[in-house]
Amino acid sequence: AAARLHDLVKPDEGAVSRTVFVDEATYRKELDRVFTKTWLFIGHESQLSEPGDYLTNFMGEDPVIATRGADGVIRVMLNSCAHRGMAVCSTDAGSSKFFRCPYHGWTYSNNGDLIGAPRADTVYHGELDKPRLGLKAVPRVENYKGFIFANWDEDAIPLVDYLGADQLWYLDLAFEAPLGGLEVIGPTMKFRIKANWKLAAENFAGDDYHVLYTHGSAFQIGFLPDYDTLGDYIAYFDHGHGMGDISKPGRAYQNDVGMAQLLGPEAIEYVNAVHERLKARVSPLQAEMHGLGQGNIFPNLSWIKFGVFHVFGLFQWHPRGPGEIEVWQTALFDRDAPQSVKDFARTQMSQENAAAGIFGQDDGENFEQITESARGVVSQTRDFNYAMGLGHEGEIHEEGYPGHLGPHYSEQNHRNFYRYWLELMTTPGEQK
Ligand code: FES
């Protein structure tokens, strides 16, 4: 019998049942209540700079196409033919005025309107109801500083409110720092892992604790400096968002300068130019803070910035059933960074978090084996434990830092993730 979700997911007690990571019915409910009610990342504006440009992505398991129309407007629509469901676009990105379905040839404008079908006059007797048979449009599409999100919920709160001013106070550092703006570099890397999507999302939302051990070898061999110096706090925000490796004022800048010194004068000059730019564009405290670690924008968009040089790594954890994730990994760089910095950043990205990167492999192994063990009937009798820091929340304070700040190592962000997940998964009237 299906136990009630409130009995299975108890964030305030630091306990979450293993069943919600493997249960098919819970998963179907997630697709419906989480992935059609929240703002999901679609792409970056730099990928759709000209009219006619398009890209494909997923919202939950629903394939979508984002296009920039001749009118300059960015639209997002279901990538599934209104005839019998074939994907009308099967490439990652490109430029086109229309999409022709490969199955029977129905043709849609890049606004999603059905504009033609082969032999429509005879086979449909001229009665094909074209206005009703366009590609289904995603009703809400909004953009924050170039990051395009879409939402199936017509009544959703605006994107900027969903992300929230507290979280954006931090994210603005990454959005405002690049000298020439962010641009997507290279194709999106895609691979699948046999794990539940929530394990990856909650990890990026602030599981700094695992870095000490899972990624311990990287520090032991001197690949990275002492991890305790890379961040001081984590923080969570309304709507399930969380981030980790937040530094005390000044520390991230010092780390950047330290790294730049290894690369030479061009890199030092670059770090200082970024710092000056921040001073001109954000508050003095934000500028002094200078950099960010990683985080998760609820539900399934994680990001990472590697200490230096404002490389932005995005991870979309596309769910493919309760036990599988299709990872989409995209790198964004400062368009005007010196080539030596770009090269360094790209190498670092591929060595660390790419499909074959050491961090990505370590993490993937954990997520897969956790999912596998959660299928056992005996293992399901023991909840996952998210109790670190329970009863000690709110004890950390850093003047001027918004959000719910916590110590570097705490599971407060995980609890926040599951609190919001539970809110979406249970209607207000549902019995507790
Ligand atoms: Fe697209 Fe038939 S499924 S034209």
Side-chain angles (χ1 to χ4, degrees):
R4 280 174 304 203
L5 275 179
H6 282 99
D7 297 327
L8 297 172
V9 178
K10 296 168 286 192
D12 296 331
E13 295 171 31
V16 177
S17 166
R18 298 177 188 217
T19 59
V20 301
F21 298 87
V22 294
D23 177 55
E24 187 69 40
T26 306
Y27 175 70
R28 296 302 307 175
K29 201 169 177 181
E30 277 178 339
L31 289 181
D32 185 39
R33 298 206 180 182
V34 174
F35 289 92
T36 67
K37 296 284 186 286
T38 50
W39 285 98
L40 303 175
F41 177 70
I42 300 296
H44 190 259
E45 226 177 14
S46 62
Q47 296 170 287
L48 299 173
S49 51
E50 299 298 324
D53 287 354
Y54 68 84
L55 60 85
T56 51
N57 206 328
F58 282 86
M59 296 174 73
E61 293 219 41
D62 288 305
V64 293
I65 315 174
T67 64
R68 190 185 284 278
D71 54 3
V73 174
I74 292 174
R75 294 176 179 82
V76 182
M77 57 206 89
L78 197 64
N79 185 9
S80 179
C81 183
H83 180 219
R84 294 227 300 278
M86 177 63 188
V88 300
C89 178
S90 49
T91 51
D92 292 347
S95 179
S96 182
K97 288 194 170 70
F98 59 86
F99 301 101
R100 179 170 293 143
C101 180
Y103 196 178
H104 311 94
W106 283 25
T107 302
Y108 302 86
S109 74
N110 63 8
N111 289 353
D113 300 327
L114 178 62
I115 51 178
R119 304 193 184 183
D121 287 346
T122 52
V123 297
Y124 287 107
H125 307 282
E127 293 161 3
L128 189 65
D129 190 357
K130 286 187 197 157
R132 281 193 53 239
L133 293 168
L135 298 175
K136 185 173 174 59
V138 184
R140 299 283 298 278
V141 180
E142 290 176 20
N143 174 332
Y144 184 80
K145 297 192 177 175
F147 289 76
I148 303 157
F149 288 74
N151 197 323
W152 287 109
D153 181 5
E154 225 157 319
D155 303 321
I157 57 171
L159 172 65
V160 66
D161 296 335
Y162 176 74
L163 297 174
D166 285 354
Q167 178 177 225
L168 291 174
W169 188 90
Y170 297 94
L171 287 178
D172 279 346
L173 285 174
F175 299 152
E176 296 290 355
L179 303 180
L182 285 168
E183 67 176 353
V184 170
I185 304 288
T188 295
M189 208 183 304
K190 301 173 184 178
F191 55 98
R192 289 193 176 202
I193 57 174
K194 292 198 171 305
N196 184 269
W197 70 272
K198 295 189 290 300
L199 296 170
E202 61 158 56
N203 175 282
F204 276 76
D207 197 305
D208 293 358
Y209 186 49
H210 83 288
V211 181
L212 294 169
Y213 201 78
T214 290
H215 307 306
S217 56
F219 298 94
Q220 280 157 14
I221 62 171
F223 188 70
L224 287 172
D226 177 10
Y227 181 61
D228 288 315
T229 67
L230 288 182
D232 301 288
Y233 310 116
I234 63 174
Y236 71 79
F237 311 93
D238 289 351
H239 309 122
H241 314 302
M243 63 178 72
D245 281 339
I246 295 172
S247 301
K248 286 181 197 284
R251 199 200 284 257
Y253 173 62
Q254 284 157 16
N255 284 343
D256 271 12
V257 171
M259 284 290 254
Q261 274 162 354
L262 303 174
L263 284 179
E266 195 179 48
I268 298 170
E269 204 178 298
Y270 174 65
V271 168
N272 285 323
V274 165
H275 200 60
E276 287 308 311
R277 183 182 156 90
L278 280 173
K279 282 190 202 164
R281 297 179 75 98
V282 295
S283 74
L285 180 59
Q286 282 168 295
E288 218 194 319
M289 195 186 152
H290 181 81
L292 294 171
Q294 71 285 326
N296 186 65
I297 294 173
F298 191 93
N300 65 334
L301 175 68
S302 293
W303 54 268
I304 192 159
K305 196 219 100 179
F306 295 110
V308 274
F309 307 142
H310 306 90
V311 181
F312 221 64
L314 293 180
F315 303 84
Q316 289 184 274
W317 314 111
H318 287 311
R320 292 290 180 272
E324 191 159 0
I325 308 171
E326 187 164 297
V327 183
W328 281 34
Q329 191 177 341
T330 308
L332 296 113
F333 294 170
D334 181 349
R335 191 180 273 120
D336 289 351
Q339 196 56 44
S340 60
V341 170
K342 283 185 182 175
D343 291 346
F344 173 79
R346 197 200 294 243
T347 307
Q348 214 181 12
M349 179 91 180
S350 54
Q351 284 178 346
E352 294 183 8
N353 282 79
I358 55 168
F359 286 4
Q361 288 191 74
D362 291 343
D363 286 332
E365 193 66 22
N366 287 337
F367 304 154
E368 288 195 336
Q369 291 199 27
I370 291 167
T371 304
E372 188 173 289
S373 81
R375 293 197 188 95
V377 289
V378 177
S379 70
Q380 285 184 6
T381 63
R382 308 210 74 188
D383 291 342
F384 287 151
N385 183 295
Y386 296 93
M388 191 188 299
L390 202 60
H392 296 275
E393 285 192 29
E395 290 177 4
I396 294 288
H397 187 72
E398 176 71 50
E399 191 59 36
Y401 279 28
H404 300 265
L405 220 57
H408 200 190
Y409 309 115
S410 164
E411 280 159 351
Q412 61 160 30
N413 289 15
H414 304 67
R415 294 191 285 276
N416 177 62
F417 179 96
Y418 289 105
R419 241 178 258 129
Y420 188 59
W421 181 88
L422 191 60
E423 190 183 317
L424 292 170
M425 292 285 282
T426 54
T427 54
E430 195 170 314
Q431 222 182 356
K432 290 203 171 182

